[in-house]
Amino acid sequence: LFYDNSRKLRTLSNGVELDDNLYLLDSKEIRLGSGEDFRFYHGGGVNKIVGTGAHDIEFYTNNTKRFTIQSNGNTVFVDDAKIFLGTGSDLMLWHDGPDSYITNTTNELIFKTGSNFDFQVNDSENAIKAIANGAVELYYDNAKKLDTFSQGVNFYGSISGDNGDEVRLGTGDDLILKHDG
């Protein structure tokens, strides 16, 4: 096919070849698949990539899969793929196979929650609990060892230190507890 004596499209044994851009009017779709279950769409102020069937959508660069949007809505990144947030890529999230990382290269990394914050190991073992308008609790092997309250801290179990370590109390260190071995 030609326009103004310039070829725009030609047929090949395995399909067609465009010699220029493909333009579609607003609200028109590119539909792919025998069931038209993968679509590209622009119109009404929105751009969409739509998978209408129960199929994952995989994204590749340099002929290597980088991430998948599964048909259930989950997004799965391959190992070592980093998610960068911020104009200067200030916050990074990634998983390298055995370990997972959150790296912040700016000032503070702030965790906010509408209620309590629980940091657990293995989905059931408490490590740290921060209770809204209340205590912060520290655990060892799922047993509470320290918590804060309005007047100070509570210890559960013993307090340990090396020879020469000191516990100092009072504004002028009036009371010093020390073991010298």
Side-chain angles (χ1 to χ4, degrees):
L1 293 174
F2 288 79
Y3 176 81
D4 198 17
N5 207 29
S6 175
R7 185 177 71 196
K8 299 299 177 183
L9 180 134
R10 69 179 175 154
T11 61
L12 302 170
S13 62
N14 61 348
V16 296
E17 178 181 76
L18 295 174
D19 291 346
D20 208 340
N21 295 321
L22 174 65
Y23 292 99
L24 296 175
L25 299 174
D26 284 349
S27 301
K28 301 298 179 188
E29 296 180 347
I30 297 174
R31 296 178 180 202
L32 302 170
S34 59
E36 299 180 356
D37 50 1
F38 189 59
R39 301 174 184 178
F40 296 89
Y41 170 85
H42 168 76
V46 67
N47 299 306
K48 294 182 183 180
I49 298 173
V50 180
T52 60
H55 308 288
D56 295 349
I57 300 173
E58 297 177 342
F59 291 83
Y60 289 73
T61 61
N62 199 20
N63 207 30
T64 302
K65 183 166 75 169
R66 303 303 180 180
F67 70 95
T68 301
I69 299 176
Q70 297 176 328
S71 62
N72 63 8
N74 293 335
T75 301
V76 179
F77 290 83
V78 298
D79 287 346
D80 293 318
K82 293 180 175 77
I83 298 171
F84 293 94
L85 301 170
T87 304
S89 301
D90 307 318
L91 180 65
M92 294 180 289
L93 306 166
W94 79 97
H95 177 75
D96 67 4
D99 300 311
S100 300
Y101 302 87
I102 299 173
T103 301
N104 177 38
T105 60
T106 58
N107 296 330
E108 295 180 27
L109 177 61
I110 300 169
F111 293 90
K112 289 188 177 183
T113 179
S115 183
N116 300 338
F117 173 79
D118 292 341
F119 183 86
Q120 296 182 341
V121 180
N122 297 326
D123 292 331
S124 63
E125 186 174 315
N126 291 319
I128 302 171
K129 283 187 169 194
I131 299 159
N133 300 312
V136 173
E137 301 173 347
L138 299 178
Y139 292 78
Y140 176 82
D141 197 20
N142 210 32
K144 184 168 40 172
K145 296 300 176 181
L146 180 140
D147 66 24
T148 63
F149 68 106
S150 61
Q151 288 81 30
V153 296
N154 291 314
F155 295 95
Y156 303 91
S158 61
I159 298 173
S160 298
D162 291 332
N163 288 337
D165 288 348
E166 299 176 345
V167 174
R168 294 175 177 256
L169 302 172
T171 55
D173 293 336
D174 306 24
L175 176 63
I176 298 172
L177 301 174
K178 179 178 179 180
H179 176 70
D180 62 10

